[in-house]
Amino acid sequence: MNAQTAPATLAADGGGPPVVPALLATQIPLEGTGAVDLARQREVVAALRPLLPAHALLFREEDTRPYECDGLTLYRQVPMVVALPETEMQVVQVLRVCHKLGVPVVPRGAGTGLSGSALPHQAGVLLSLAKFNRIVKLDPYARTAIVQPGVRNLAISEAAAPFGLYYAPDPSSQIACTIGGNVAENAGGVHCLKYGLTVHNVLRVRGVTIAGEVVEFGSHALDAPGYDLLAVVVGSEGMLAVVTEVTVKLVPKPQMAQVIMASFDNVETGGDAVADVIAAGIIPAGMEMMDKPAANAVEPFVNAGYDLDAAAILLVESDGTPEEVAEEIDRMRAVLEKSGATRLQVSASEPERLRFWAGRKAAFPAVGRISPDYYCMDGTIPRKRLGEVLKAIQQMEERYQLRCANVFHAGDGNLHPLIMFDANDPASVQRAEQFGFEILELCVAVGGTVTGEHGVGVEKVHQMCKQFDRATLDAFFAVKRAFDPPGLLNPGKVIPTLVRCAEYGKVHVHGGALRFPDIPRF
């Protein structure tokens, strides 16, 4: 196995679980909502108090309320307790206590996730890694950086810039999202088509299991002996281990880059053009599309210079040496013209290139300016089905009587429909949720998946029932059980139980028999 147990310094008593003094409940003044079991809360706080500084343990509602959701605001739950450890040893001790007491633990990064993966458990501990924010080591010769999980994505590239290097995965939230969350969700970004997702840019992950065992996955080398458990942990959404350190790859900054902005008179033609570029053997550095509603929301917000008459805008970037870029831009221009582009504009300067991308990266907040709320979906489809799916989404808008702006990583078919609704109107919320579910099920129906980079969390757990059969779900549970036998890490997320799938009407449970009855049902 390439998951190796790493040494952890234990308490001065020589090892074993940390000593938890028995404090009387009356010694601990607590406040909470009616959803919190106050007796249980007192017990957990009493157990954790000796392990963390007073400011690093939150349990009053005014302190825990800010952690009630991640970027997916449709689902909210105030945690029973919030722990903010500052060292790996504190993480180890907190997890050992939770394991001993049978307390669920939900790891959390910056809270920018969009699938509810960091939704707290009302009877659990929310474990925030916000204070793990150091870049431990940056090696420009090996082109690697060792970072703690609370380091912001963009901060890695900023630190590597003096050496002519950067970290390639660039989610739109990179100014705020953290590398631990990127590992948990296997985040992508506008340049993932050429440079890959997080899993392709991480060499090693160090973490702690629910039992408090420190383990390492992968290595600082290009490969490690045994099973590739690194690929299992990346994208596991905090269900297998709590990440405490990550080694990432750095890549040289290209000498230059240019972007083509291509306009199309309908979204189907634009979607077909994406497939044509890839079919021509061209792998651009980035390939993003926005439909007219998205472009019209973005332009007043950013002044990116978008063609507001176009039904769809495609941004296609080439990077490399000046000669490579010039040759690839010419090839892409020819393909796009042949595919029906009505207008082509190539960035004439670096500021203009950055302005084109700034519009795409600002699409989410721009939509937030024109709607009380929006629901960002995340599904992936075969590129050749882009036009068909975008047309179907337009038809759904009419059926659900809700607007939808579409922005997506066109090169790999990763859709991000932004469904606009009003959270103060329960009927509008219900329609938005059903709209999103129908999009996800359409993605599966055309040969795609229910997620591309945002993860499953609580948002898409029902749609997992549609995508996977019983044997596959059993295999997922077996992996979960191998890492977390009591099922305490981020329970109720990602992997639907067979009971849940039976209720959803997608899987028949013969005789009610479950292969792993000890795994929490919900």
Side-chain angles (χ1 to χ4, degrees), residues 130-152:
K131 296 187 177 184
F132 282 67
N133 56 8
R134 290 193 307 113
I135 296 178
V136 178
K137 181 181 180 181
L138 196 152
D139 186 340
Y141 298 103
R143 295 181 180 173
T144 61
I146 302 174
V147 303
Q148 292 183 326
V151 172
R152 293 179 302 109

Side-chain angles (χ1 to χ4, degrees), residues 221-448:
L222 292 178
D223 196 8
Y227 294 116
D228 184 11
L229 295 181
L230 177 63
V232 174
V233 170
V234 177
S236 60
E237 301 191 40
M239 296 185 65
L240 306 182
V242 176
V243 175
T244 57
E245 192 174 87
V246 183
T247 302
V248 301
K249 301 177 187 177
L250 302 174
V251 296
K253 296 181 69 174
Q255 292 182 31
M256 75 169 295
Q258 279 187 298
V259 175
I260 298 177
M261 180 173 69
S263 303
F264 295 90
D265 55 13
N266 67 72
V267 292
E268 290 183 277
T269 303
D272 292 342
V274 172
D276 293 340
V277 170
I278 302 299
I282 304 169
I283 305 298
M287 200 174 194
E288 302 286 309
M289 182 175 279
M290 291 182 289
D291 65 6
K292 188 169 187 174
N296 277 267
V298 165
E299 186 59 25
F301 185 53
V302 178
N303 296 315
Y306 290 160
D307 179 2
L308 299 183
D309 294 324
I313 290 174
L314 181 64
L315 300 176
V316 192
E317 179 166 285
S318 174
D319 68 7
T321 65
E323 295 78 12
E324 289 171 334
V325 171
E327 189 269 341
E328 191 168 77
I329 288 289
D330 285 344
R331 290 178 62 200
M332 292 192 297
R333 188 199 297 267
V335 172
L336 293 170
E337 287 175 346
K338 186 176 179 180
S339 299
T342 57
R343 173 181 165 187
L344 295 173
Q345 180 179 346
V346 180
S347 60
S349 65
E350 182 63 6
E352 185 174 47
R353 182 186 76 86
L354 294 175
R355 190 165 65 250
F356 284 171
W357 283 124
R360 166 60 185 87
K361 285 179 174 284
F364 291 7
V367 170
R369 295 174 73 238
I370 63 172
S371 175
D373 302 276
Y374 67 84
Y375 184 19
C376 177
M377 297 308 301
D378 166 52
T380 301
I381 61 173
R383 283 184 292 263
K384 63 183 180 180
R385 309 296 290 270
L386 276 172
E388 170 190 347
V389 170
L390 289 172
K391 184 177 181 179
I393 291 174
Q394 289 180 333
Q395 295 169 348
M396 291 179 205
E397 286 185 75
E398 296 180 11
R399 189 159 64 253
Y400 289 102
Q401 291 297 293
L402 293 172
R403 294 178 295 163
C404 182
N406 290 283
V407 296
F408 49 96
H409 307 308
D412 56 3
N414 186 194
L415 308 176
H416 292 321
L418 303 176
I419 301 168
M420 291 172 258
F421 70 101
D422 184 354
N424 296 311
D425 177 3
S428 176
V429 174
Q430 185 177 24
R431 293 200 311 276
E433 193 171 36
Q434 290 302 316
F435 191 166
F437 288 172
E438 186 171 344
I439 290 174
L440 294 178
E441 297 199 354
L442 175 61
C443 289
V444 175
V446 300

Side-chain angles (χ1 to χ4, degrees), residues 89-265:
M89 191 63 239
Q90 289 176 353
V91 173
V92 169
Q93 292 177 323
V94 168
L95 289 173
R96 285 180 176 171
V97 165
C98 292
H99 182 253
K100 180 180 180 181
L101 297 178
V103 176
V105 178
V106 177
R108 177 186 170 100
T112 61
L114 292 167
S115 63
S117 290
L119 183 74
H121 194 290
Q122 71 176 39
V125 171
L126 187 136
L127 186 62
S128 170
L129 282 300
K131 296 187 177 184
F132 282 67
N133 56 8
R134 290 193 307 113
I135 296 178
V136 178
K137 181 181 180 181
L138 196 152
D139 186 340
Y141 298 103
R143 295 181 180 173
T144 61
I146 302 174
V147 303
Q148 292 183 326
V151 172
R152 293 179 302 109
N153 176 291
L154 187 58
I156 301 175
S157 292
E158 291 172 342
F163 305 100
L165 303 170
Y166 75 109
Y167 179 61
D170 56 344
S172 294
S173 59
Q174 68 177 152
I175 191 173
C177 67
T178 54
I179 194 65
N182 291 173
V183 168
E185 305 295 343
N186 191 22
V190 299
H191 291 95
C192 66
L193 177 61
K194 181 174 181 178
Y195 294 101
L197 301 165
T198 300
V199 70
H200 305 111
N201 290 274
V202 168
L203 290 171
R204 164 186 161 273
V205 170
R206 181 180 172 100
V208 185
T209 68
I210 187 62
E213 181 184 23
V214 180
V215 291
E216 291 191 1
F217 307 92
S219 73
H220 291 289
L222 292 178
D223 196 8
Y227 294 116
D228 184 11
L229 295 181
L230 177 63
V232 174
V233 170
V234 177
S236 60
E237 301 191 40
M239 296 185 65
L240 306 182
V242 176
V243 175
T244 57
E245 192 174 87
V246 183
T247 302
V248 301
K249 301 177 187 177
L250 302 174
V251 296
K253 296 181 69 174
Q255 292 182 31
M256 75 169 295
Q258 279 187 298
V259 175
I260 298 177
M261 180 173 69
S263 303
F264 295 90
D265 55 13

